[in-house]
Amino acid sequence: MSRIAHLSDLHFGSTDPAQLEALAGILASDGIEAIVVSGDITQSGRKHEFADAARWFEALDMDVMVVPGNHDTPVYNLASRFLKPWSRYERIAGFAEEPIEERDSFVFAGLNSARRIRPSLDWSTGKLSRRQLDAIGAAYAEAEGRLRICSFHHPILGFEDGGSAGRAVLPKADEVMRTLTDAKVDVVMTGHVHKARITVVEEDGWSFILSQAGTAVSTRLRGEAASYNVLTQEGEDRLRLSTHRWGEGGFAKEVAHRFERTKAGWQEVSS
Ligand SMILES: [Fe+2]
Ligand SMILES: [Fe+2]
């Protein structure tokens, strides 16, 4: 049985110290084997924010896989932003822009959906190019028998309350979903909107599990308290995904979903 924590939107520079400390403690004691962070490691892409993040992850001493978010390229230093947008993320924090990681029980493919500039005035929006989508299938070439996990920062589904969360959805999200189902991805981990959601996404005869994580420790709340998700492999064809929510000075499990794999992908089953 393997357990992977899905964190997102830590926003070093705007973190809650009590939440940071509590999260480090619970990750160390909860049997977590690996951590996926779906972007927005920092608030403004400042050097000291990346350094603080790097220190926190180093102290955790765990297997960490990270993709960048729209806040992880310099917000105030426009020369850096345009000339070398991911240099601080790679050099100071030590993260790869698009990591592919293979472990005994899973293969992880990370994509960078954040951009240094966008055609609209809203640079927070994201994109995945055809080249990036084509790389997804190749990443799982040797994944037979192992869980296929894919992560990028921006969401592929909107939220019922619309507004800015609606604009945040990746352009051509249906094409992205088709690519993920073609590659028989099992779990997709996204962030950005600071709202948690766990559901099944069905497209073209395959369904994958979507783990949308809230903000784990930042003070930038959008209508709900900080949270993170935990993925538990309960067997070859069984998974559990839970959301752990901040409240009363600690994180506690709020809700858990169980899933089983069929020939057509993952289906939610009652607990
Ligand atoms: Fe964020
Ligand atoms: Fe974001």
Side-chain angles (χ1 to χ4, degrees):
M1 195 171 91
S2 138
R3 276 163 77 73
I4 301 170
H6 172 201
L7 317 181
S8 199
D9 297 79
L10 306 174
H11 287 276
F12 274 87
S14 296
T15 52
D16 178 319
Q19 290 176 358
L20 259 186
E21 191 182 336
L23 183 60
I26 203 164
L27 291 174
S29 65
D30 198 24
I32 301 295
E33 288 163 32
I35 298 174
V36 171
V37 190
S38 52
D40 281 359
I41 312 304
T42 69
Q43 174 59 25
S44 306
R46 289 187 164 109
K47 290 177 187 171
H48 68 86
E49 294 171 350
F50 280 118
D52 287 348
R55 258 193 306 278
W56 189 77
F57 282 113
E58 215 172 286
L60 281 185
D61 195 22
M62 296 179 88
D63 187 7
V64 180
M65 286 151 274
V66 182
V67 293
N70 54 298
H71 281 260
D72 296 324
T73 182
V75 171
Y76 299 109
N77 186 331
L78 291 183
S80 282
R81 184 184 183 101
F82 288 114
L83 295 175
K84 36 187 185 173
W86 311 108
S87 163
R88 294 176 181 178
Y89 171 88
E90 291 174 319
R91 191 169 42 83
I92 304 173
F95 301 133
E97 194 186 331
E98 300 205 312
I100 294 176
E101 303 284 346
E102 303 206 13
R103 302 292 181 269
D104 289 346
S105 59
F106 65 87
V107 175
F108 173 84
L111 299 174
N112 180 7
S113 63
R115 295 294 185 266
R116 60 187 165 172
I117 188 169
R118 296 283 292 133
S120 69
L121 285 175
D122 185 357
W123 291 359
S124 73
T125 58
K127 184 187 173 182
L128 286 175
S129 67
R130 192 62 250 173
R131 178 197 65 76
Q132 289 176 295
L133 294 180
D134 287 344
I136 294 177
Y140 300 113
E142 308 284 324
E144 195 61 40
R146 289 184 281 177
L147 206 63
R148 300 170 188 213
I149 302 174
C150 184
S151 181
F152 42 84
H153 182 58
H154 291 83
I156 48 177
L157 289 184
F159 280 74
E160 279 162 14
D161 59 358
S164 62
R167 284 204 310 277
V169 174
L170 280 175
K172 298 185 182 170
D174 50 347
E175 194 180 327
V176 176
M177 287 190 251
R178 266 200 307 279
T179 306
L180 293 164
T181 53
D182 283 351
K184 299 264 191 295
V185 170
D186 297 299
V187 183
V188 176
M189 296 179 167
T190 56
H192 184 59
V193 285
H194 298 199
K195 290 171 187 286
R197 177 177 187 176
I198 294 170
T199 190
V200 160
V201 175
E202 199 176 337
E203 181 85 27
D204 277 355
W206 178 260
S207 44
F208 60 81
I209 300 165
L210 178 68
S211 172
Q212 165 79 45
T215 172
V217 289
S218 92
T219 53
R220 294 169 55 90
L221 301 177
R222 305 215 184 106
E224 58 178 62
S227 68
Y228 65 96
N229 295 342
V230 174
L231 172 69
T232 308
Q233 282 179 286
E234 296 188 309
E236 210 174 305
D237 297 319
R238 295 175 69 90
L239 289 174
R240 192 173 69 223
L241 243 173
S242 48
T243 296
H244 301 248
R245 180 88 56 190
W246 178 258
E248 296 173 12
F251 286 98
K253 182 156 69 180
E254 179 183 66
V255 63
H257 300 253
R258 286 198 137 81
F259 302 92
E260 275 182 15
R261 180 162 41 197
T262 68
K263 283 197 174 102
W266 291 91
Q267 306 295 330
E268 182 159 3
V269 293
S270 51
S271 307

